[in-house]
Structure formats: structure tokens, C-alpha cells
Amino acid sequence: MSVPILKTEGLTHVYSQGTPFETTAVENVDFQAERGEYLAVIGHTGSGKSTFIQHLNGLIRPTSGRVLFDGEDISKSKEKLRNIRFKVGMVFQYPEYQLFEETVYKDIAYGPGNMKLSKSEIDERVREAAAFTGLSEDLFEKSPFELSGGQKRRVAIAGIMAMRPEVLILDEPTAGLDPVGREDILANIRKYHDSMGSTIIMVSHSMEEVAKNAQRLVVMSGGHIVMDGSPAQVFEHGRELTEMGLDIPIAAQIAMKLRDMGLSVDKSVFTVKQLADSLVRMGRKDCD
Amino acid sequence: MAVLFIAVSTVSVKTILSGLKPLIIIIVLTGLLNMFYTSGTVLVEFWIIKITREGIINAAYMVSRIIMLITATFMLTYTTSPLSLTDGLERLLSFLKRFKVPIHELSMMMSIALRFIPTLIEETGKIMNAQNARGADFDTGGLVKKAKAMIPLLVPLFISAFKRADELAVAMESRCYHGGEGRTRMRVLRMRAADWVVIALSIMLCVASWLLRGVTL
Ligand SMILES: Nc1ncnc2c1ncn2[C@@H]1O[C@H](COP(=O)(O)OP(=O)(O)OP(=O)(O)O)[C@@H](O)[C@H]1O
Ligand SMILES: [Mg+2]
């Protein structure tokens, strides 16, 4: 197998070390992400997800352990760290508060501008990122503060996509949006993933969302990675997930209840379609 | 005298000593410098070091002044929350209301400002992180470059502060806040024995130092 694009070794982070407020937010995490993978990090509130992902582009330094990008320690030098920021793009929770420019265009161009690209290159990237996030070009000359919440969110995401990061990390990109807005943003991210071949790491609270989009799920609890596998593998452990305070997709819940009632529904069911197929198969068997 | 103050407050001696700890170097240094560099009748002479009677007295004065200063401020902040401090200030200055000075509004502004300092600090950290992730560089370059680099930080900070202020105003209005007229308090400030003792001691201290002002050892 090729070198994983991102890897952590024994990553530990302690906040306010040596004070009464000492909290170990992330403890001894070994993790890796392959090139082009779409993975989701899930876990209940305070399980250390945000802390963990902020290590991946060097915004937080590990208390102990290392982060490797392409096999190289990212905190080797200051130069290197700055370059990593462009290669590992990070969209924060509620990213709209990072907007500051007079126009939407300028705001999206801020990241690429910091990369010291030529004007035409920047222009190309801004238009590309706007297309990915479904922002029409009539908005370019508007102030970002005149936009709706959902549009602001898109501008903020486009600002990161315009840097064409090899790894795109998003911390709850759909928080606080209505169902249509959520679906749109998820579709935008999928489009970016499919056409750029980048690695996507998405933090999410919604199991339905990750079940539909991610190829791999990483479950965090109490600062540790407690499960790691395909959605089918992870949702097989429905009961453990529920005990951890996590929801499971509605189809997986129904499947679990049906199994409890003695029906032999497949353990790996987690979408409505799979559930339906599985029930139809069972029905056939009964008829035979 | 300070000892008595401490006795009246319920702050333990240990907390006060730990408050003095970071300043110990300054205190010791002031003491030593005063001891060595005051001329007068020599008590001990040793190589280049001369210790004079006046030096020792001076040093004792300075050190006790510094310690008193620190303990006094420390005791105030430790025993009194910023909220009761502004409440108290409002009461003390309420006579100014007669001259149409909006004391209640001013003290409300002060408590709100105090309340939002930690929030603003947290917000600054968040925005800084977000702009760093877009390749912002806050700490290299000359003065002009640094000032320019602050724009991506300050603009969102001001915007969120204004938004917060707006939200707070709406929240206060929807709970029927309309200034100080006829407002009652949730916590009523009352003088307790300890307060009277502190006032009496303070007056005594002032009088004593005024009487002793000319006396030298
Ligand atoms: N800046 C900080 N200083 C001190 N402790 C912190 C800080 N940020 C987070 N923590 C603590 O670290 C732990 C993990 O927090 P983190 O933000 O990583 O959780 P999370 O999984 O992202 O939660 P959520 O789903 O609510 O976003 C929590 O216990 C939190 O209180
Ligand atoms: Mg978080």
C-alpha cells in the first residue's frame, strides 16, 4: 500500500496542562487516511473530534506524538507548517465568522492570495471554487455580509476549496442549516471529492449524513478512537454506539428492533434501501 | 493592620501568600537596593557593600509598602466579584443622578463589558485559527505588514461583537428592561460586621499615618 497522506502516531493533547483545569482531550490516537478517501469522524459532544482534526494541519501542537503528511513530520519547520496549511484545508465549525473582505470574490481569493499565486491562477481558482459550492458569479461583487446564512457558509467553504487542498477537513459543515441547505452542501463536498480526487475528512453529528456519504467511519469517544471501519461494519455495533450517546441511522434502528423481535434482518443494514431489500428477501424465503 | 484585614476577610493566608509569590523577586530586589544604596551611618561594612541604618529602615518601609499595596488590591478582587463591585460603585455614585448623570446605565455598561472580556478573547482565538488555516501570517514582517495582517482578524471580531451587542439588546428588551428606574435587585448589598470593621480600621490607619508623618526613627 502507498504511504498514507495523513497519519498520526500516539497523538495526545492535554489542554491547560499543569493547572486544575487540565483536560486530556485526545489520548494516544493512531490514525491514518489514504489518498482520495472520504471519511467521517463521529462522536458525542466533547469526545475530542475538533481537537483531533485541528492537529492535522498543525493549528494545535500535540502534547506528545506526531502528525505525518506524506510520511513527513509536519511540525519540522515553520516553512513546512505554512505549506501544510495550504495542502490540508480546514473548514471550521460555523466558518462564516471568518469572512472579512469587502466582496465575496476577494474573500474567496484570500487563501490563494496568501499562496503567492499569479492573478490569473487566483481568478481561475475562485471561479472553480464558486462553481463547486454553487455560488453564482453575480454574487462576486456583493458584500459577504449581505448574504444569507447558507450562502455565507458556501463562501467560507469556497475560500478553502480555492486553495485546492489535497486534504479537505470540515468540522460539522452542515450545523445550523435547514435540510435543503444541508443536502446542497453535502452534494458540493461530494462533487469536490469526485472531481479533484482529494481526501475528505468530515466531522459530523448526523449519522444519516455520514451513512450516505462516507466510505469510512472513525468513531471517537473520550479522546480515543473506539471504532474504525466501513459504515456497514460500524453500524453493526448499533447497541454500543447508542450506549456512547450516538444516534444510528433510522434504518439501522429499525433493523435492530426487528432483530430483537426475532427476524433475521441483515446486521449490515443501515440505509432505507438496504432495509427494504433485506425485508423483501426475507419475504421471498417465507413464501418458498 | 493588614493582618487584621486578612482576619476579617475569609481569604486564607495561604492564598494571599501565593498571590505574592510572582512578585517576590521585585520585593526582594527593592529591599536589597534600598538597603545598599542609602547613605547614612554605617552599621556593617564588608568589601564594597555598606549597610547603613537608614538603608535598613528605608528597605523595610518600601517592602512593607509594596506588600500592603498588593495585598490590598488582591483582597479587593478576591473578596468582591466584579458584579458586586459595580453594584457598590453604582450605589456610591448614585448621588450624581441628581445632576442627570446616568449612573445606572454606566454601571450596567461596565458589568456587561466585564462579562464579555473572556468571550472576546475566546472569539479572537477562534478567528485567528480560521485565518491561519487560510495562510494568514500574523507575526512576521514590519509594522505596516503586521498592521495589515490584523484586518482579517479585526473585521470579523468587530462584526461579531456588534452582532452580539444587538442580540443582547434585543434579549434585554424582550425581558422588559428599561433602565434603572424602580428596578429592584436580586442581590441587595448590605453592610455586615466585617465591612464596618474594615472601614474603622482603614480610618484608623489613615489617622495614624497622618499623625506619624513627621516621626522618623
Ligand atoms: N480551548 C480549550 N481549552 C480547554 N479545554 C478545551 C478547549 N477546547 C476543548 N476543550 C475540552 O476538550 C474536550 C474535547 O473538546 P472538543 O472540542 O475536541 O470536542 P468535540 O468532539 O469537537 O465536541 P463537539 O461535538 O461539541 O464539537 C472537551 O472536554 C472540552 O471541554
Ligand atoms: Mg467540535
Side-chain angles (χ1 to χ4, degrees):
Chain A
M1 212 186 232
S2 60
V3 182
I5 190 157
L6 269 177
K7 184 172 179 176
T8 69
E9 291 174 349
L11 190 71
T12 298
H13 191 87
V14 184
Y15 281 112
S16 326
Q17 194 163 30
T19 72
F21 307 104
E22 193 171 294
T23 351
T24 308
V26 172
E27 197 171 13
N28 213 2
V29 167
D30 295 319
F31 159 91
Q32 60 184 58
E34 307 299 334
R35 228 166 247 287
E37 213 175 5
Y38 191 142
L39 65 88
V41 180
I42 57 181
H44 57 81
T45 293
S47 55
K49 307 179 297 286
S50 300
T51 309
F52 169 63
I53 57 162
Q54 284 178 54
H55 281 92
L56 301 180
N57 73 344
L59 280 174
I60 316 187
R61 283 178 182 256
T63 308
S64 66
R66 301 197 299 162
V67 181
L68 307 169
F69 180 86
D70 243 344
E72 263 190 276
D73 195 331
I74 63 165
S75 51
K76 238 194 223 149
S77 70
K78 236 184 153 175
E79 258 334 280
K80 181 128 190 83
L81 201 61
R82 218 167 116 81
N83 273 325
I84 290 297
R85 301 260 162 89
F86 299 128
K87 288 184 181 156
V88 182
M90 170 91 62
V91 178
F92 282 85
Q93 228 162 332
Y94 297 99
E96 20 318 349
Y97 60 69
Q98 72 190 33
L99 303 176
F100 72 98
E101 281 283 15
E102 296 147 52
T103 67
V104 168
Y105 183 92
K106 279 191 191 166
D107 207 282
I108 301 177
Y110 177 67
N114 281 332
M115 295 167 84
K116 311 243 172 343
L117 300 170
S118 70
K119 259 218 154 74
S120 57
E121 173 84 37
I122 293 177
D123 186 65
E124 187 194 323
R125 289 182 175 213
V126 171
R127 284 174 205 283
E128 176 193 276
F132 274 130
T133 48
L135 287 166
S136 83
E137 301 202 351
D138 331 329
L139 294 177
F140 278 1
E141 292 311 313
K142 276 205 166 183
S143 156
F145 304 107
E146 293 170 6
L147 304 181
S148 74
Q151 285 173 321
K152 276 188 202 159
R153 181 81 52 98
R154 284 150 199 263
V155 175
I157 295 175
I160 305 294
M161 283 182 176
M163 303 194 302
R164 287 201 192 139
E166 291 171 44
V167 182
L168 179 62
I169 304 178
L170 304 109
D171 196 347
E172 302 198 27
T174 59
L177 295 182
D178 61 63
V180 178
R182 280 163 177 262
E183 225 13 84
D184 278 354
I185 294 232
L186 289 171
N188 296 152
I189 297 168
R190 233 174 5 238
K191 208 160 66 189
Y192 182 82
H193 172 247
D194 295 344
S195 55
M196 304 296 281
S198 322
T199 310
I200 308 283
I201 301 178
M202 184 172 80
V203 173
S204 179
H205 265 130
S206 158
M207 297 303 131
E208 310 289 341
E209 239 172 69
V210 300
K212 243 189 268 167
N213 291 285
Q215 298 159 349
R216 192 178 129 208
L217 297 186
V218 171
V219 185
M220 289 194 73
S221 180
H224 298 272
I225 291 184
V226 288
M227 282 184 219
D228 185 339
S230 69
Q233 287 167 337
V234 168
F235 289 129
E236 268 181 30
H237 301 275
R239 216 165 300 272
E240 281 137 277
L241 289 170
T242 331
E243 272 159 24
M244 260 180 253
L246 288 174
D247 279 334
I248 54 174
I250 191 85
Q253 282 179 37
I254 295 172
M256 208 163 84
K257 289 252 163 68
L258 290 175
R259 271 200 302 281
D260 287 349
M261 287 161 62
L263 292 173
S264 62
V265 183
D266 236 358
K267 263 196 148 183
S268 59
V269 162
F270 63 89
T271 65
V272 176
K273 179 151 189 330
Q274 289 167 350
L275 178 64
D277 287 349
S278 177
L279 288 176
V280 168
R281 264 201 308 279
M282 273 170 40
R284 292 240 173 82
K285 256 185 242 149
D286 288 349
C287 292
D288 288 345
Chain B
M1 203 60 87
V3 176
L4 284 177
F5 278 165
I6 294 170
V8 187
S9 74
T10 45
V11 185
S12 77
V13 178
K14 214 171 115 202
T15 359
I16 289 176
L17 288 182
S18 74
L20 284 174
K21 221 191 266 160
L23 293 156
I24 210 110
I25 296 173
I26 296 178
I27 294 172
V28 170
L29 212 65
T30 325
L32 289 179
L33 286 179
N34 273 295
M35 203 143 88
F36 298 146
Y37 291 104
T38 314
S39 50
T41 39
V42 179
L43 288 182
V44 190
E45 195 164 352
F46 170 75
W47 188 37
I48 52 162
I49 296 170
K50 271 190 252 159
I51 296 178
T52 60
R53 212 174 87 90
E54 284 78 4
I56 291 178
I57 294 170
N58 236 340
Y61 261 135
M62 288 312 285
V63 168
S64 58
R65 264 187 206 163
I66 294 176
I67 292 178
M68 296 265 245
L69 200 70
I70 297 165
T71 30
T73 42
F74 190 75
M75 297 259 279
L76 181 68
T77 49
Y78 217 89
T79 52
T80 320
S81 73
L83 217 57
S84 16
L85 206 61
T86 43
D87 273 1
L89 219 57
E90 183 181 345
R91 268 267 290 274
L92 278 181
L93 296 178
S94 59
F95 70 90
L96 286 175
K97 270 188 202 152
R98 244 172 262 159
F99 308 107
K100 294 257 182 330
V101 184
I103 289 302
H104 172 79
E105 282 69 19
L106 285 176
S107 82
M108 184 55 110
M109 266 150 64
M110 193 164 139
S111 14
I112 291 173
L114 285 171
R115 152 69 183 77
F116 278 101
I117 289 172
T119 320
L120 278 180
I121 292 175
E122 192 183 307
E123 200 117 316
T124 312
K126 263 190 181 168
I127 297 169
M128 235 164 155
N129 265 345
Q131 306 300 24
N132 269 334
R134 297 207 276 168
D137 189 358
F138 291 115
D139 32 45
T140 56
L143 202 62
V144 178
K145 198 173 163 227
K146 265 193 188 162
K148 267 199 182 143
M150 294 306 272
I151 294 174
L153 175 63
L154 291 179
V155 172
L157 195 63
F158 271 100
I159 286 174
S160 81
F162 283 132
K163 215 168 93 191
R164 220 180 269 285
D166 238 14
E167 278 164 12
L168 185 69
V170 171
M172 280 166 84
E173 252 172 41
S174 57
R175 290 198 236 165
C176 299
Y177 175 84
H178 51 76
E181 223 45 60
R183 244 166 102 76
T184 54
R185 298 191 165 278
M186 178 165 151
R187 273 165 306 179
V188 181
L189 298 181
R190 234 183 239 116
M191 296 296 275
R192 278 170 309 168
D195 299 314
W196 290 116
V197 171
V198 169
I199 289 177
L201 286 175
S202 308
I203 292 172
M204 269 157 68
L205 194 65
C206 288
V207 172
S209 52
W210 186 70
L211 290 176
L212 290 173
R213 73 199 181 287
V215 183
T216 40
L217 292 175

